[in-house]
Amino acid sequence: MHSLRLALTDPRFPASAVPGALTAQPEARAALATAFAATTAPAPAAETAAGASDLPDAADASGAAQQSAAANAEATAAGPGTALRAPDLPGLLADTLDSAGTPVHRPELGSLVATVPADPQARNEARQAVAAVDDEDVRLRSAVKARDGFFTTFCISPYSRYIARWCARRGLTPNQVTTASLITALIAAGAAATGTRGGYIAAGLLLLFSFVLDCTDGQLARYSLQYSTMGAWLDATFDRAKEYAYYAGLALGAARGGDDVWALALGAMVLQTCRHVVDFSFNEANHDAESNTSPTAALSDKLDSVGWTVWVRRMIVLPIGERWAMIAVLTAVTTPRIVFYALLVGCAFAACYTTAGRLLRSLTRKARRTDRAAQALADLADSGPLAEAVARAGRRFVAGLPAMAPPAIAFVGGAGLVAAAVFSDYGSVWPVVAAVTYVITSGLAVARPLKGALDWLVPPVFRAAEYGAILALAMAADVNGALPAAYGLVAAVAYHHYDTVYRIRGGTGAPPHWLVRATGGHEGRILLVVLLAALVTDTDFTIALAALAVAVALLVLVESIRFWVSSAAPAVHDEGEPA
């Protein structure tokens, strides 16, 4: 039963098939009708039992294909004079759809049985094979994500899968569990904001419970095959919202005790977001590259064949399970400052480890990157009208530069911007000079298609430069409220960048161009922030940062919600960050 459920009720794919069964979602039904007509073309000598003319629309074609397989009745002809039985029809249709360009998902069945017996003996053998499979046990095991971290695999999933089944039997949806996880994390942030030892202990426990629910929502979706566009968006964005809200709660709690750790909280958010952008950029640049192999990748695959190295390597990158467990335990037994110190050290080490591996892979592989990958990197760059104008003017200049020029140019401009913001006094003109230079280098870095071996570094460099400069300028202002306002601004911009990633993964490209222009692009925003720091008082600068944060948040949230609840939004079937 579960094999049929996997093939016929999973809404994430345009078409799915197992032996003897095929289903098509609305977007693939026109192609299915065409395939059905081609496959069941009548033989010259005889009328077929079922032809394309019997189908008034594509939906009927889908139903006819499935019913014919289930009924095990005589079907049609594959070609002149060649008789076929109905069980062969779904497989033929699936092959026809594949060859015509409509991908057909064929789920991994594992121990599940899906076959079309041709005679009574084969039917008895199939029934015995089905009876030998514990269908419910397979559903529970398949509900757990294949590539989770050590903490999630051994400390959460052994019981969270049963919570998922409990939720399914009571009619709860994954979206409801996702929302409960968010609410729990926000309560945890509120408990941390009290600044008391009891509040910190409660916050740690609630954060762990929120993570259990976070694992449960995905397991519930896989257990009951309740995938949805809204669920993909909620799960992807709520993880970031929960973590960054908790950072803010810790900073508020520390402030109640007289310790200002807002700079550490913002630094942790910047580092974590930049880590994710490195992952996104590298994956988008390479997942469809031609001749995409390297000695480094071969070594990584070899290490994965040794059991214990898999877990060590997964723990080193500090995935969300290990990260939240560390945060929860340290919150309960130490102080917010120690929590952020540990978080910064751990995330910095993980970032160095993963980035070094990706650099080695990029330098040792001989891959030709596609136009789609170059466009994805350009979308991730988030270039505004100023950078676009510079790019148009500078195309001839960059055309003859070496392959490493785009990331090198981006790094020089970004490093100069951050250095000027860090080492200049508040109100100095030097950050303005550096920001103008950054606008120029940002345009030159994207003036040609990003197809070089290291061009995937351009978006992460832009993120680090923008976020780091905002952090440095807020610290230079040195007034109450500047760092919390900067935290809000970076959070709003980071949401925009995460939203861009999830849209690209869904195959719809970047957010609309008007939104990128309205938010200024990364170079326009940082130029505005730098000008404000040079022209207004530190108190007014804080107010301006807060107002900018609200404006950016409203723009990106309204457009994001409109997009993800619309019928055109994709059902992203990406597993996201390993837990």
Side-chain angles (χ1 to χ4, degrees), residues 151 156 159 180-181 183-189 191-192 196-214 246 250 324-333:
F151 178 77
I156 303 295
Y159 58 88
S181 176
I183 294 172
T184 304
L186 294 178
I187 296 173
T196 64
R197 179 52 52 195
Y200 289 147
I201 294 173
L205 292 174
L206 286 169
L207 186 65
L208 285 176
F209 182 58
S210 173
F211 181 66
V212 172
L213 294 177
D214 184 53
Y246 192 82
L250 286 175
W324 282 26
M326 180 186 73
I327 294 171
V329 171
L330 291 179
T331 298
V333 301

Side-chain angles (χ1 to χ4, degrees), residues 1-11 13 15-25 62 65-71 87 90-91 105-117 130 133 135 138-139 142 222-225 227:
M1 178 62 71
H2 191 51
S3 58
L4 284 176
R5 188 184 291 111
L6 287 173
L8 303 182
T9 65
D10 192 334
F13 306 96
S16 299
V18 292
L22 170 71
T23 189
Q25 298 299 320
S62 175
Q66 296 173 31
Q67 291 169 9
S68 64
H105 173 64
R106 292 173 171 82
E108 293 288 340
L109 297 180
S111 60
L112 293 172
V113 178
T115 184
V116 181
V130 169
V133 176
D135 200 64
V138 172
R139 287 186 72 186
S142 62
R222 287 182 286 272
Y223 178 85
S224 57
L225 297 178
Y227 301 101

Side-chain angles (χ1 to χ4, degrees), residues 95-112:
D95 292 340
T96 304
L97 285 173
D98 267 330
S99 62
T102 299
V104 178
H105 173 64
R106 292 173 171 82
E108 293 288 340
L109 297 180
S111 60
L112 293 172

Side-chain angles (χ1 to χ4, degrees), residues 11 71 217 222 227 265-266 280 308 313 337 391 425 439 458 507-508 512 571:
D217 64 358
R222 287 182 286 272
Y227 301 101
L266 181 49
F280 299 148
W308 64 271
R313 296 173 70 211
R337 180 171 290 274
D425 294 331
V439 170
V458 171
T508 62

Side-chain angles (χ1 to χ4, degrees), residues 336-358:
R337 180 171 290 274
I338 294 177
V339 173
F340 285 122
Y341 282 155
L343 190 60
L344 287 167
V345 171
C347 287
F349 179 81
C352 291
Y353 171 79
T354 55
T355 304
R358 288 176 167 86

Side-chain angles (χ1 to χ4, degrees), residues 115-394:
T115 184
V116 181
D119 53 61
Q121 180 179 352
R123 185 179 298 113
N124 288 334
E125 292 174 352
R127 286 174 176 170
Q128 293 174 6
V130 169
V133 176
D134 187 338
D135 200 64
E136 181 62 21
D137 180 67
V138 172
R139 287 186 72 186
L140 282 172
R141 285 189 284 108
S142 62
V144 178
K145 195 159 59 176
R147 287 182 56 85
D148 271 339
F150 181 89
F151 178 77
T152 303
T153 300
F154 295 103
C155 300
I156 303 295
S157 293
Y159 58 88
S160 62
R161 69 184 76 181
Y162 295 101
I163 300 176
R165 182 173 66 180
W166 183 89
C167 292
R169 291 178 175 177
R170 282 152 184 80
L172 297 177
T173 67
N175 291 353
Q176 291 171 331
V177 178
T178 301
T179 304
S181 176
L182 174 67
I183 294 172
T184 304
L186 294 178
I187 296 173
T194 62
T196 64
R197 179 52 52 195
Y200 289 147
I201 294 173
L205 292 174
L206 286 169
L207 186 65
L208 285 176
F209 182 58
S210 173
F211 181 66
V212 172
L213 294 177
D214 184 53
C215 294
T216 301
D217 64 358
Q219 292 167 358
L220 173 59
R222 287 182 286 272
Y223 178 85
S224 57
L225 297 178
Q226 297 182 71
Y227 301 101
S228 69
T229 295
M230 179 64 73
W233 174 64
L234 291 178
D235 188 55
T237 57
F238 279 11
D239 279 351
R240 304 287 77 79
K242 288 181 286 189
E243 189 163 1
Y244 297 158
Y246 192 82
Y247 292 176
L250 286 175
L252 289 170
R256 286 180 176 271
D259 189 12
D260 187 356
V261 297
W262 275 106
L264 296 176
L266 181 49
M269 180 167 67
V270 169
L271 180 57
Q272 189 62 29
T273 304
C274 289
R275 276 187 64 198
H276 286 145
V277 176
V278 167
D279 293 341
F280 299 148
S281 295
F282 179 82
N283 291 333
E284 288 301 322
N286 291 286
H287 89 276
D288 59 355
E290 300 175 16
S291 302
N292 196 7
T293 59
S294 74
T296 309
L299 175 61
S300 178
D301 293 339
K302 185 175 181 179
L303 287 174
D304 281 344
S305 65
V306 182
W308 64 271
T309 64
V310 174
W311 298 115
V312 171
R313 296 173 70 211
R314 290 185 189 178
M315 293 173 68
I316 286 176
V317 300
L318 204 64
I320 188 171
E322 276 77 356
R323 192 167 67 247
W324 282 26
M326 180 186 73
I327 294 171
V329 171
L330 291 179
T331 298
V333 301
T334 64
T335 65
R337 180 171 290 274
I338 294 177
V339 173
F340 285 122
Y341 282 155
L343 190 60
L344 287 167
V345 171
C347 287
F349 179 81
C352 291
Y353 171 79
T354 55
T355 304
R358 288 176 167 86
L359 285 171
L360 287 173
R361 290 191 184 195
S362 299
L363 293 172
T364 56
R365 67 170 33 131
K366 305 297 182 182
R368 295 188 300 275
R369 287 166 178 83
T370 63
D371 291 337
R372 188 218 62 83
Q375 183 59 52
L377 291 180
D379 293 337
L380 288 173
D382 190 31
S383 299
L386 296 177
E388 289 177 345
V390 173
R392 286 192 296 269

